[in-house]
């Protein structure tokens, strides 16, 4: 099932999601499959549960855009353990469509998370994967990438979004 993507302005995107405590249930497996379907339908490389209106600490990532099943990742209750180096590049978010901004992020990032069975694992990613770890984990704590751009740019984006909202082009 493909869920609609929740857009900036919905409070679910700006509050910390709940920790997942039940694993390996049919409901969780179905939800994860739906998250991947929703992410691919929206042409994203990552999706966090709050973006489909579900306040639980679950994110999916696939930097291959569905080309390589080995790159499908499930992060449940993720925590960023280590960040090193710097990369500056364009970043966007499915919940803030039509916008992309330069965002400075760590280049090499280690995350600790649980998989669908509740097993804990650690993984280190670089470049795009490092950026996805940070971006999606941020979502689960109610933080959006616009909190990493300058106040000036953020205000400009918010003004443009308000205009779209008023015009009925943001739902
Ligand atoms: Zn996002």
């Amino acid at each position: 099932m493909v869920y609609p993507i929740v857009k900036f302005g919905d409070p679910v995107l700006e509050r910390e999601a709940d920790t997942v405590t039940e694993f390996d249930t049919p409901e969780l497996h179905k939800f994860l499959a739906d998250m991947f379907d929703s992410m691919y339908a929206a042409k994203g490389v990552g999706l966090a549960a709050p973006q489909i209106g579900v306040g639980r600490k679950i994110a999916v990532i696939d930097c291959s855009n569905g080309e390589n099943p080995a790159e499908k990742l499930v992060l449940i209750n993720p925590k960023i353990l280590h960040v090193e180096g710097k990369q500056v590049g364009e970043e966007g978010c499915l919940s803030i469509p039509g916008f992309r901004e330069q965002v400075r992020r760590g280049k090499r990032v280690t995350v600790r998370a649980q998989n669908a069975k509740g097993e804990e694992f650690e993984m280190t990613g670089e470049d795009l994967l490092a950026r996805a770890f940070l971006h999606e984990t941020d979502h689960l704590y109610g933080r959006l990438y616009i909190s990493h751009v300058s106040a000036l740019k953020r205000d400009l984006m918010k003004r443009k979004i308000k205009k779209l909202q008023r015009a009925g082009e943001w739902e």
Side-chain angles (χ1 to χ4, degrees):
M1 175 188 163
V2 171
Y3 285 81
I5 305 292
V6 170
K7 287 187 187 167
F8 176 74
D10 189 315
V12 72
L13 292 174
E14 293 180 82
R15 59 177 175 242
E16 183 176 345
D18 295 330
T19 300
V20 176
T21 54
E22 278 189 41
F23 295 89
D24 212 15
T25 62
E27 292 76 17
L28 181 61
H29 288 292
K30 167 79 168 85
F31 183 68
L32 290 169
D34 289 345
M35 280 193 72
F36 277 107
D37 287 348
S38 303
M39 177 179 76
Y40 293 135
K43 300 195 182 339
V45 297
L47 184 73
Q51 293 184 277
I52 52 172
V54 176
R56 296 162 81 194
K57 286 202 175 94
I58 303 175
V60 296
I61 293 172
D62 181 355
C63 290
S64 81
N65 292 301
E67 297 291 318
N68 179 7
E71 292 190 45
K72 287 177 74 171
L73 289 174
V74 170
L75 303 179
I76 301 178
N77 303 327
K79 284 193 175 70
I80 300 298
L81 291 187
H82 189 68
V83 178
E84 65 180 66
K86 284 273 176 279
Q87 59 172 322
V88 178
E90 269 206 340
E91 196 164 316
C93 178
L94 294 175
S95 295
I96 314 176
F99 293 85
R100 292 187 76 79
E101 292 294 337
Q102 295 284 324
V103 180
R104 201 161 97 141
R105 296 282 199 180
K107 188 170 172 61
R108 194 176 151 86
V109 172
T110 303
V111 68
R112 176 187 291 157
Q114 285 164 280
N115 64 19
K117 292 186 171 171
E119 298 158 345
E120 213 168 62
F121 64 96
E122 285 179 20
M123 193 174 174
T124 299
E126 290 186 19
D127 302 317
L128 180 59
L129 185 55
R131 190 178 283 279
F133 284 164
L134 294 168
H135 182 114
E136 301 312 330
T137 302
D138 266 358
H139 267 303
L140 303 179
Y141 286 86
R143 284 192 301 266
L144 298 168
Y145 84 90
I146 58 171
S147 65
H148 299 285
V149 307
S150 70
L152 197 73
K153 273 195 178 152
R154 184 163 55 246
D155 288 347
L156 190 65
M157 286 175 76
K158 285 186 175 175
R159 278 210 299 278
K160 284 184 183 168
I161 290 169
K162 277 213 180 84
K163 233 175 154 177
L164 290 168
Q165 285 168 332
R166 279 200 299 271
E169 289 165 20
W170 194 258
E171 292 314 322

